[in-house]
Amino acid sequence: MEMSFPIDIFVIIDLILISMLLVVGIAIVRLNNLFVIVMLYGVYSLLAATWFVSLDAVDVAFTEAAVGAGISTVLMLGAMLLTSRESKPTTPIRRWTSLLIVLVTGIALIYATFDMPAFGDPNSPANSYVGLMYLKATITDISVPNVVTAILASYRGFDTFGEVVVVLTAGLGVMLILGIDSRRSRSGEVENKDAIAKEANTKNKPEKINALNHHIVLQVVAKMLIPIIILYALYVHFHGDYGPGGGFQAGVIFASAIILYSLIFGMDQTRRAIPPKLVQFGSALGVLIYGGTGIITILMGGKFLDYNMLDQNDTIHAQHMGILMIEVGVLVTVASVMLSIYYGFAGRYRQLKDQNW
Amino acid sequence: MDFFVGHFNYWVIITLMMTGLYVVISTGNLVKKLVGIGLFQTSVFQLYISLSKVRGAQPPILEKLPKYGSAEKTSQTVTELTATIPQVTALDPASVYDPLMGVVYSNPLPHVLILTAIVVGVATLAVGLALVVRIREAYGTIEEDAIDEAEYKIEVNAS
């Protein structure tokens, strides 16, 4: 090991971020208020994203910030509102037993790290063969600056197809469990007792206190922000070849713009703007675009997702075209699935009032 | 000291991982359990990403690229490049020819794996939360022991 790691500014930044992560993690362990826990989980994700930037993983940091600190926090808040605000404290026996299990596992894992390559070692097995090969080959094969996009969309396009199908499947799962359009329960059979109770409570207030539509400032600010967020999502999408970003991040950002709209203006209005049917259709359409690109390359005489077939005179152009097409598929599916999941949760909670917070 | 600086990232990540595991095992609240799974999951992401870090490197976004566009220049550069890279050198870290032109990049492959894993992670988290919501509707609670009790009552009544 010829390293004498200089204690430079980056190491100090790393240490600060890591200690903040540890503090937040331990706070989550000790607290019982679910609202605080969920908010701290968002903070934790944001800190993790910052650390990813410091570790050179800009694309991952982007995704973690959009997904972990954005969408997951919204979903967890939604689930918390639908369930309970407090978790019961654990019994001492259970606490000590789990501490023992965790300590033993942790020590075993730490013992295993003694054989691991040193942090930042350029000659470690992970960094010297396949990763380096992709970096070098991207220059001549695909010629896009962002190697992460090149691998994601072209070299490992088949894997990414699998991931998109998994996202669609998870979306379908949520739709099956919660239902995407809860209007049915409004017209006839009400599914749960809570809803009946809520109905009784709100009967004497005929006008819908939906969302936060009496907050004028929020409404005006949101109206200005939403187009900018959507524009940014499109920028992230189409700039994914050149900088951090791509279909996954853009899809999540697009969905969060719609979620912001529905938080401010209410679910009914959002349902009118983007009907649940459209969201369902979009979830499948994205996968169809992705898979269809693969079928087109088969029809043109190549293998599945062999973009070179799209333009045989200029394979680099063909690669760019293929990447763009499948990224559109990823964008459509991810955005629609995130929205359908949100619709599922939000449809259960019909009226969100200030005092609920 | 070298050993400490070279391995502290693993130890911290394992500590965070165990924090998540502790939350999952110790609490009976289903939402908090899912938060614990989220912590565990994030620490796995951190493990992969810290493996891909190369000291003094920059993010895997290529700095110098043969300009793509104007016809003959491109084809020339590309053919030049392909001609000078024998098939083997790409796999050989010690090869003389360096198409990266001396710039050191971090390893992009783990980034790809984790990027998609994050999005899949939130989708599966949503399925978990949906199940928790349904459990609450069916049993009126999301605490494990209370659910067990309710289940027991249902079974006793049925028999």
Side-chain angles (χ1 to χ4, degrees):
Chain A
M1 236 176 4
E2 29 66 59
M3 61 177 299
S4 65
F5 208 105
I7 301 291
D8 58 4
I9 186 76
F10 294 106
V11 176
I12 296 172
I13 291 175
D14 279 358
L15 284 176
I16 292 173
L17 287 172
I18 286 166
S19 24
M20 284 161 88
L21 280 170
L22 282 173
V23 169
V24 176
I26 289 164
I28 291 177
V29 170
R30 297 196 56 85
L31 287 166
N32 281 322
N33 185 319
L34 285 180
F35 182 72
V36 180
I37 288 175
V38 169
M39 291 323 281
L40 280 180
Y41 180 68
V43 172
Y44 185 90
S45 286
L46 201 60
L47 285 171
T50 323
W51 194 30
F52 288 149
V53 176
S54 158
L55 292 173
D56 290 345
V58 278
D59 278 274
V60 179
F62 202 160
T63 320
E64 177 71 32
V67 168
I71 300 270
S72 341
T73 312
V74 169
L75 292 181
M76 284 206 177
L77 278 179
M80 185 207 74
L81 280 173
L82 288 165
T83 53
S84 71
R85 304 291 296 265
E86 288 284 332
S87 83
K88 263 203 292 189
T90 41
T91 54
I93 304 170
R94 191 167 181 177
R95 211 179 302 154
W96 289 108
T97 334
S98 10
L99 193 65
L100 187 74
I101 295 171
V102 163
L103 276 179
V104 172
T105 321
I107 289 168
L109 284 175
I110 285 177
Y111 176 69
T113 61
F114 293 158
D115 289 343
M116 297 283 274
F119 177 55
D121 184 3
N123 298 319
S124 72
N127 292 341
S128 37
Y129 297 96
V130 187
L132 204 61
M133 192 189 80
Y134 278 127
L135 274 167
K136 289 179 177 172
T138 299
I139 296 176
T140 44
D141 285 354
I142 299 173
S143 192
V144 298
N146 189 351
V147 184
V148 174
T149 302
I151 301 175
L152 180 102
S154 182
Y155 289 117
R156 310 294 292 263
F158 193 62
D159 293 4
T160 311
F161 184 53
E163 311 274 7
V164 175
V165 174
V166 170
V167 171
L168 171 70
T169 314
L172 285 176
V174 174
M175 278 184 228
L176 285 172
I177 297 169
L178 290 181
I180 191 171
D181 191 0
S182 66
R183 262 188 222 176
R184 272 172 297 125
S185 61
R186 187 169 308 175
S187 59
E189 80 294 4
V190 185
E191 280 174 314
N192 53 7
K193 282 177 200 142
D194 288 30
I196 298 172
K198 245 169 258 155
E199 202 102 54
N201 284 341
T202 50
K203 219 154 226 172
N204 43 0
K205 295 177 208 153
E207 90 280 19
K208 269 179 268 164
I209 315 171
N210 226 331
L212 308 168
N213 54 11
H214 53 287
H215 288 283
I216 311 270
V217 177
L218 279 182
Q219 281 194 349
V220 173
V221 172
K223 253 184 196 158
M224 288 195 299
L225 273 180
I226 288 164
I228 299 173
I229 296 175
I230 289 177
L231 196 65
Y232 182 61
L234 291 175
Y235 163 77
V236 167
H237 179 81
F238 289 107
H239 204 255
D241 290 2
Y242 303 96
F248 282 102
Q249 292 95 330
V252 173
I253 294 173
F254 187 86
S256 59
I258 311 292
I259 290 175
L260 176 66
Y261 179 80
S262 97
L263 285 177
I264 306 286
F265 296 95
M267 268 314 282
D268 286 339
Q269 216 159 327
T270 314
R271 278 221 189 79
R272 269 202 297 279
I274 299 181
K277 279 263 181 288
L278 184 72
V279 174
Q280 275 170 316
F281 180 72
S283 308
L285 178 72
V287 176
L288 186 70
I289 294 174
Y290 202 138
T293 310
I295 301 293
I296 289 173
T297 56
I298 290 180
L299 292 180
M300 293 176 95
K303 292 176 183 140
F304 189 66
L305 292 175
D306 179 5
Y307 306 141
N308 284 354
M309 290 298 140
L310 295 174
D311 185 351
Q312 274 155 355
N313 302 321
D314 187 351
T315 51
I316 288 181
H317 178 227
Q319 287 287 340
H320 289 191
M321 223 154 69
I323 289 176
L324 193 70
M325 277 158 76
I326 65 112
E327 289 269 23
V328 169
V330 171
L331 170 86
V332 174
T333 291
V334 170
S336 312
V337 167
M338 292 300 148
L339 271 182
S340 72
I341 291 171
Y342 175 76
Y343 277 13
F345 282 97
R348 297 258 148 182
Y349 208 93
R350 304 221 334 267
Q351 283 165 343
L352 193 60
K353 280 167 279 176
D354 281 359
Q355 54 265 37
N356 289 328
W357 298 100
Chain B
M1 184 62 194
D2 270 1
F3 187 73
F4 172 76
V5 176
H7 288 77
F8 80 98
N9 63 313
Y10 298 121
W11 300 335
V12 172
I13 289 166
I14 287 169
T15 315
L16 291 170
M17 199 180 272
M18 288 306 113
T19 315
L21 186 63
Y22 178 84
V23 175
V24 174
I25 303 175
S26 73
T27 182
N29 185 290
L30 296 178
V31 172
K32 196 173 173 189
K33 256 188 210 295
L34 283 173
V35 172
I37 291 175
L39 294 184
F40 193 97
Q41 178 177 271
T42 314
S43 73
V44 174
F45 299 160
Q46 286 161 349
L47 178 71
Y48 269 72
I49 299 301
S50 78
L51 277 174
S52 75
K53 168 76 179 169
V54 173
R55 202 172 349 121
Q58 52 185 45
I61 293 173
L62 299 172
E63 221 174 47
K64 296 159 191 160
L65 209 59
K67 268 271 172 293
Y68 175 71
S70 55
E72 84 233 66
K73 184 146 195 213
T74 313
S75 55
Q76 199 191 352
T77 338
V78 172
T79 36
E80 243 174 48
L81 276 168
T82 22
T84 41
I85 310 174
Q87 222 40 30
V88 214
T89 52
L91 277 166
D92 180 11
S95 72
V96 188
Y97 179 74
D98 181 17
L100 302 176
M101 300 175 209
V103 188
V104 183
Y105 299 101
S106 282
N107 185 358
L109 191 56
H111 299 183
V112 178
L113 304 179
I114 297 310
L115 196 160
T116 48
I118 290 175
V119 181
V120 170
V122 71
T124 46
L125 172 83
V127 178
L129 288 172
L131 286 172
V132 172
V133 168
R134 291 293 286 177
I135 287 172
R136 151 84 195 197
E137 283 171 5
Y139 295 100
T141 175
I142 53 165
E143 299 284 342
E144 261 178 357
D145 41 358
I147 295 169
D148 278 348
E149 258 169 52
E151 281 268 80
Y152 179 71
K153 262 181 210 157
I154 293 169
E155 270 173 40
V156 168
N157 289 345
S159 62

